[in-house]
Amino acid sequence: MKKELGIARCSLACCLCSENQWCGGCNSGNCPDAKGCINRACSMEKGISHCYLCEEDCRKGLLKKIKPYGFTLYAKRYGIDGLLCRLEENEKNGVVYHREGILGDYDEFCDVEELIRFIHTGKR
């Protein structure tokens, strides 16, 4: 885990992403999706660095997907350090962020509260 990379504006885990060798994140200038990212544009417009800092319960852009939405809710509830610590601990315990392509253990949920429990405990 490259904890210094933190999370993207939408709360995807840059610190665990297998693509982080060429992508420096939302504000790096080399994010391939920067121009079309709804979450980046919205958070910049609101003057906040990340979606978890927004007071709205939003499902725009990548937040339509359960993983970034669940990570955002987790950061709202437990703080960004709480999220990063859990992701690091879960990785040490064998939880995989990207197993095939961009899908991994955090993508196997239909219910956001189940995902949040999984982030919190690392167990199904």
Side-chain angles (χ1 to χ4, degrees):
M1 180 166 157
K2 295 182 180 179
K3 203 170 188 177
E4 66 278 6
L5 293 177
I7 64 168
R9 287 178 179 262
C10 66
S11 298
L12 285 174
C14 298
C15 56
L16 293 172
C17 183
S18 61
E19 298 176 358
N20 66 22
Q21 64 272 14
W22 57 267
C23 175
C26 299
N27 300 316
S28 66
N30 65 351
C31 173
D33 299 320
K35 289 184 179 147
C37 181
I38 292 169
N39 303 104
R40 182 177 188 272
C42 181
S43 59
M44 288 177 73
E45 191 175 296
K46 290 181 178 185
I48 57 176
S49 61
H50 293 83
C51 294
Y52 72 85
L53 296 171
C54 185
E55 294 178 11
E56 294 178 39
D57 183 22
C58 169
R59 297 298 300 260
K60 291 189 265 186
L62 285 171
L63 296 180
K64 290 177 185 171
K65 297 182 179 191
I66 194 161
K67 181 167 56 180
Y69 182 63
F71 285 13
T72 296
L73 290 181
Y74 195 94
K76 282 184 177 195
R77 294 178 191 177
Y78 302 103
I80 189 59
D81 288 335
L83 175 61
L84 290 171
C85 286
R86 288 308 316 148
L87 293 175
E88 183 174 41
E89 188 65 27
N90 289 346
E91 182 187 44
K92 287 178 186 174
N93 291 326
V95 175
V96 178
Y97 187 69
H98 287 166
R99 186 172 305 287
E100 293 182 28
I102 60 168
L103 300 178
D105 294 333
Y106 296 104
D107 296 285
E108 299 174 356
F109 294 87
C110 295
D111 180 89
V112 73
E113 292 302 324
E114 287 181 28
L115 171 58
I116 289 170
R117 277 191 295 282
F118 180 69
I119 295 166
H120 204 66
T121 65
K123 296 181 174 115
R124 292 200 169 271

